[in-house]
Amino acid sequence: MDRDSYNSGDWFNRLDFTYMTNNWGVGLPPKEKNEYNWPLIKPRLADPSFKPSKSHILAAVENFTNLLQIRYSSPLFRLKTANAIQKRVRFHNTGTSLIPGVIVMSIEDGQEGIPGLTQLDPIYSYIVVVVNARPSEISFPCPALRARTLQLHPIQLMSTDPMVKNSAYEPSTGCFMVPSRTTSVFVELR
């Protein structure tokens, strides 16, 4: 619960590669940057129901590994210049209709033989990432993405996380449904 544990040392940031514990509740985070939150933190550190079990830790490891695999599944996630990012990346949850706690980002690839963007990815022509940090499921209609042939990323389809598998995209409306506190990646195959 330290907002900046970089200098907190090993006593606070200890890693247990047996995944039996994650060092939860060893003490309050340093006073310098966290004292104003101590009244919120103290009761949570004392509550045993907040302590993650081995199954929680393993689920977090798997989800993190899945996100790394997704990142490496397409060069579109590893654009190298600001210009490439500006040409290919768009954010859709903006303006007066913005849903707080939700990020909707698309990354477009070019088509071989068609002027404009060059083709970087031989597998995916379009990617949409929806981050739902809200405590409830969201339904996000995006007319700009209507009629695309998006599907949940294969790595997330094979995940043991039942929440992410409930993510969906409706082509006729361009609507994304994403469970609470879930990041879903949708891809369009070439």
Side-chain angles (χ1 to χ4, degrees):
M1 297 187 85
D2 187 350
R3 64 172 274 237
D4 180 9
S5 69
Y6 182 79
N7 289 321
S8 293
D10 290 342
W11 75 271
F12 197 80
N13 292 315
R14 185 175 64 88
L15 293 175
D16 174 8
F17 291 104
T18 68
Y19 305 121
M20 296 303 293
T21 182
N22 71 344
N23 217 32
W24 172 262
V26 296
L28 286 169
K31 181 178 182 178
E32 179 186 359
K33 294 181 181 178
N34 300 280
E35 183 178 23
Y36 63 92
N37 277 328
W38 281 358
L40 297 170
I41 295 171
K42 282 180 184 181
R44 286 162 178 80
L45 291 178
D47 185 342
S49 71
F50 279 81
K51 186 174 181 71
S53 68
K54 183 174 182 173
S55 66
H56 295 127
I57 296 167
L58 289 172
V61 169
E62 180 192 357
N63 288 337
F64 181 71
T65 302
N66 286 348
L67 288 176
L68 287 175
Q69 290 173 333
I70 289 169
R71 180 177 184 266
Y72 284 99
S73 73
S74 174
L76 297 174
F77 284 119
R78 300 181 311 279
L79 299 172
K80 296 184 186 326
T81 66
N83 187 42
I85 293 167
Q86 290 168 347
K87 285 183 177 181
R88 296 171 187 271
V89 177
R90 299 286 175 265
F91 290 92
H92 301 275
N93 186 26
T94 60
T96 57
S97 61
L98 175 132
I99 301 171
V102 176
I103 299 169
V104 181
M105 175 188 77
S106 63
I107 312 170
E108 183 174 8
D109 199 12
Q111 300 287 333
E112 196 170 306
I114 298 175
L117 293 176
T118 57
Q119 182 178 325
L120 301 176
D121 190 328
I123 301 170
Y124 305 123
S125 60
Y126 210 86
I127 298 173
V128 177
V129 179
V130 182
V131 179
N132 179 11
R134 297 172 62 91
S136 58
E137 178 180 87
I138 58 110
S139 178
F140 182 83
C142 189
L145 300 177
R146 187 178 297 144
R148 298 209 77 97
T149 56
L150 295 163
Q151 60 191 26
L152 194 60
H153 196 288
I155 290 169
Q156 289 185 319
L157 282 172
M158 294 184 303
S159 172
T160 60
D161 178 0
M163 293 289 285
V164 76
K165 289 180 179 182
N166 288 327
S167 302
Y169 165 75
E170 175 53 53
S172 64
T173 60
C175 190
F176 296 87
M177 285 75 66
V178 176
S180 65
R181 297 182 176 100
T182 299
T183 298
S184 300
V185 180
F186 298 87
V187 292
E188 184 173 74
L189 293 168
R190 290 211 170 272

